[in-house]
Amino acid sequence: MSDFAEIILEGKSYKMPIVVGTENEKAIDINNLRAESGYITLDSGYKNTGATESAITFLDGEEGILRYRGYPIEQLAEKSSFIEVAYLLIYGALPTQQELDVFTNEIKIHTLVNEDMRKILDGFPSTAHPMGILSALISSLTAFYPESLNPNQSKDEVNLTIIRLMAKLPTIAAWSYKNSIGHPVNYPKNKLDYCSNFLHMMFAYPTEEYELNPVVVSALNKLLILHADHEQNCSTSTVRLVGSANASLYSSVSAGISALWGPLHGGANQAVIEMLEAIKADGGDSKKFIAKAKDKDDPFRLMGFGHRVYKNFDPRATIIKKAADEVLTALGVNDPILDIAKELEEAALTDQYFVDRKLYPNVDFYSGIIYRALGIPTDMFTVMFALGRLPGWIAQWKEMREQKEPIGRPRQVYTGDTERNYVPMNER
Ligand code: CMC
C-alpha cells in the first residue's frame, strides 16, 4: 500500500500522508492541504472526516463491533460494573482492586453538591425539562469551583474536577427529577454503590426507606455501561470542540449535555417511547407508521432506527433487546409497548426501504422500554443517557487536552453575496 495519497488540483500534484490506525482504519492526512494548495475539503455532517486520533473506543459500523480500550462491549456489559468501565475509559486500563476502591471512595466523598445549588434549582419552574436543568447546573459548577477555569491546572487538580463531576452529576440529575415533580430532594447515601445511590436519590420518599431491587440495580449498571462511550458522536465532538478552546471540563460537559438532548441523538430514547405510545393510541397499526416513515413528504421518522455509523446492526441494541425481555420478566411487567416495538421492528426489518438504507434498531429503540420498567419517567430518559455517557465525555476531553489538540475551527465555502455597498434606508 502506498504511504501517501496523491491529490491533483489544477494540474498540480500534492502528496498527503496516509495514516493507519491499530485496527487498520485508513485516513488521508490533509493537515497541510490548504497551506499547500489553497483548497479545503467539504464534508457536511463530517461523514468522512476524522477529527482526531483517539485510543479510547473502537467502533466498526459495518461489522457491528464496539470496544472500549480494546474490550468488547458484550464482555463489559456482562461482567463489569459501570464504575469499573468509567475507570477504564478515563484512565485507559482496567483497575486493580485497590485502584477501583480508591476511585470509588473518592467519588463517594464528593457526592454532595453545594447547598447554594438548591437555590438555582428552586428558580426553575416545574415545567423545565430535566436536560435543561442538568446542563445549566453542570455549567454552574464552575461558579463553585472557579479554579477549574484555569486551563493550566496540574494533573491532580484536573483529576479532582473529574471526580467531582462523576460524583455530583447523579445527585444533580436526581434533583432535577425531584424538582419536576415538586418533591423534596434526597441527599446521597454514600454506603450505597453508584447505581443504587442514584436510584435512592430518584425514588426514596422522606418518610420511608427505598428498597433496592437487585434486578433494577443490575439493569441500570448494564444500561450505563452500554452508553458509556461511542467515539466521536455529536455530543462527544461537542465536548472536545468546546474543550479545545480551553473551556473547563464542567462547561464542556454542559455543552455535551445540550447536544445529547436533541432527538436525533440522545433525545431519541424519549422520542421512541412517545412514538410507541402514539402508535398504541392510534390503534396499534405499525404498518401505517412504517408507511409514514417512508413517505418523503411526511416529516415522521421511525425513532430508534438508523445510525450514522452502524450499517449492519448496533451491538448495543442486541444486548438491550435481550435485557429488556429479562428485566420485564423479572419485574413481572407486562408492557404492551414492548409488543408494538417488536412488531414495528419485524415490519421494518423486512421492508425494502429499511433494508436498502441499512436502517436497523439502534441502542435507543429498547432502552426506553427498560427505563420505563425501572420506573424512570420518560423525560428523564435522556438524562439517563447523559449519566452513562459522562465517563466517555471525560475520557475524550482528557485525551484531547493531553494530546494538546489545537482549537477546533472548521472552514466553510462561502456562498453569500459578493461585496456590495450599503444602501441608505430611504433608497431601499
Ligand atoms: N426513519 C425513516 N427513514 C430514515 C430513518 C428513520 N429513522 N433514518 C434514516 N432514514 C433514511 C433517510 O430519510 C435517508 O433516506 P434517503 O437516502 O432516501 O434520503 C437515509 O435513510 C439516510 O439517512 P440520513 O438521515 O442521511 O442518515 P444520517 O446518518 O445522517 O442520520 C440518524 C442518522 C441516526 C440521525 C437517522 O438515522 C435518524 O434520524 N434516526 C432516528 C433518530 C434516532 O433514532 N437517533 C438515535 C441514534 S442512536 C443514539 C446515538 O448514538 O445518538
Side-chain angles (χ1 to χ4, degrees):
M1 191 187 80
S2 169
D3 52 5
F4 63 86
E6 188 174 8
I7 301 178
I8 298 172
L9 298 164
E10 298 170 23
K12 200 169 164 206
S13 158
Y14 300 90
K15 287 184 177 169
M16 301 289 145
I18 298 283
V19 178
V20 184
T22 49
E23 289 285 349
N24 206 27
E25 286 183 301
K26 301 180 194 79
I28 305 166
D29 175 351
I30 56 151
N31 269 297
N32 293 328
L33 180 64
R34 186 172 180 279
E36 289 180 17
S37 70
Y39 278 74
I40 61 164
T41 55
L42 191 59
D43 183 21
S44 72
Y46 310 119
K47 293 186 181 189
N48 308 281
T49 297
T52 186
E53 291 178 60
S54 177
I56 301 171
T57 289
F58 174 67
L59 195 168
D60 182 331
E62 279 70 34
E63 298 296 325
I65 295 173
L66 175 61
R67 296 184 204 131
Y68 300 158
R69 302 280 187 187
Y71 298 101
I73 190 66
E74 293 78 7
Q75 290 181 22
L76 293 171
E78 185 66 34
K79 299 178 182 162
S80 188
S81 69
F82 176 62
I83 230 45
E84 186 182 48
V85 167
Y87 185 100
L88 170 71
L89 286 166
I90 297 170
Y91 303 110
L94 283 172
T96 60
Q97 188 62 56
Q98 200 212 347
E99 286 166 336
L100 186 63
D101 291 346
V102 170
F103 184 57
T104 307
N105 288 331
E106 279 182 339
I107 290 175
K108 282 187 175 180
I109 57 173
H110 287 97
T111 49
L112 273 181
V113 298
N114 191 302
E115 278 298 299
D116 284 344
M117 289 280 266
R118 294 268 306 277
K119 294 184 196 145
I120 308 178
L121 186 70
D122 286 346
F124 284 97
S126 60
T127 48
H129 194 287
M131 281 298 272
I133 299 183
L134 189 66
S135 171
L137 292 190
I138 294 299
S139 185
S140 315
L141 287 172
T142 53
F144 297 91
Y145 307 105
E147 66 282 4
S148 66
L149 296 168
N150 173 8
N152 301 315
Q153 280 196 309
S154 69
K155 218 172 152 190
D156 285 349
E157 287 166 332
V158 171
N159 201 46
L160 182 57
T161 304
I162 291 174
I163 297 289
R164 282 194 173 124
L165 200 45
M166 284 293 299
K168 293 175 200 309
L169 192 134
T171 311
I172 294 170
W175 282 12
S176 73
Y177 167 59
K178 287 292 189 190
N179 182 69
S180 73
I181 54 170
H183 285 187
V185 300
N186 285 323
Y187 287 93
K189 265 196 180 166
N190 291 336
K191 66 174 187 202
L192 298 175
D193 64 73
Y194 199 81
C195 289
S196 304
N197 179 44
F198 176 72
L199 291 165
H200 150 76
M201 290 189 290
M202 281 285 290
F203 298 120
Y205 283 86
T207 44
E208 44 198 286
E209 252 325 89
Y210 171 68
E211 279 202 28
L212 287 160
N213 181 336
V215 174
V216 174
V217 177
S218 143
L220 181 57
N221 235 309
K222 193 172 282 198
L223 282 163
L224 297 186
I225 291 173
L226 291 176
H227 286 90
D229 195 44
H230 213 229
E231 51 118 297
Q232 308 312 313
N233 56 86
C234 177
S235 57
T236 302
S237 301
T238 301
V239 169
R240 286 185 87 122
L241 189 66
V242 173
S244 77
N246 275 354
S248 80
L249 179 58
Y250 296 126
S251 355
S252 307
V253 166
S254 162
I257 292 168
S258 297
L260 186 75
W261 194 358
L264 295 187
H265 188 13
N269 54 15
Q270 173 173 346
V272 168
I273 292 292
E274 285 164 357
M275 173 188 77
L276 294 173
E277 288 281 14
I279 297 176
K280 185 170 151 245
D282 193 69
D285 181 0
S286 44
K287 294 220 164 45
K288 177 175 162 190
F289 285 83
I290 299 264
K292 271 166 75 64
K294 286 158 51 174
D295 180 354
K296 294 289 171 202
D297 296 325
D298 189 328
F300 177 79
R301 274 193 168 199
L302 214 51
M303 299 314 287
F305 263 76
H307 202 276
R308 171 59 63 78
V309 287
Y310 292 122
K311 300 298 174 197
N312 184 351
F313 67 95
D314 179 340
R316 304 167 301 171
T318 313
I319 301 171
I320 279 200
K321 185 179 177 184
K322 191 163 160 270
D325 272 331
E326 287 166 2
V327 170
L328 266 59
T329 309
L331 296 177
V333 175
N334 183 11
D335 193 338
I337 291 279
L338 183 63
D339 297 332
I340 295 182
K342 285 185 175 165
E343 247 181 70
L344 201 64
E345 181 185 348
E346 265 172 43
L349 289 180
T350 49
D351 190 290
Q352 207 52 44
Y353 172 96
F354 290 87
V355 174
D356 287 349
R357 289 166 182 76
K358 298 188 186 333
L359 299 170
Y360 298 90
N362 58 49
V363 67
D364 285 332
F365 193 64
Y366 284 105
S367 65
I369 292 171
I370 308 188
Y371 286 136
R372 219 155 96 118
L374 304 188
I376 310 272
T378 313
D379 66 0
M380 278 295 285
F381 289 179
T382 315
V383 171
M384 303 306 293
F385 195 151
L387 193 63
R389 185 54 54 87
L390 180 64
W393 287 333
I394 293 173
Q396 302 270 352
W397 182 93
K398 183 167 166 281
E399 182 183 68
M400 179 273 307
R401 280 289 170 88
E402 287 168 358
Q403 289 180 175
K404 299 195 174 10
E405 290 182 11
I407 184 169
R409 205 297 187 189
R411 292 264 176 182
Q412 64 166 17
V413 173
Y414 175 69
T415 58
D417 289 303
T418 51
E419 186 177 356
R420 49 185 175 163
N421 287 326
Y422 178 77
V423 183
M425 190 64 81
N426 59 359
E427 289 174 27
R428 284 178 217 165

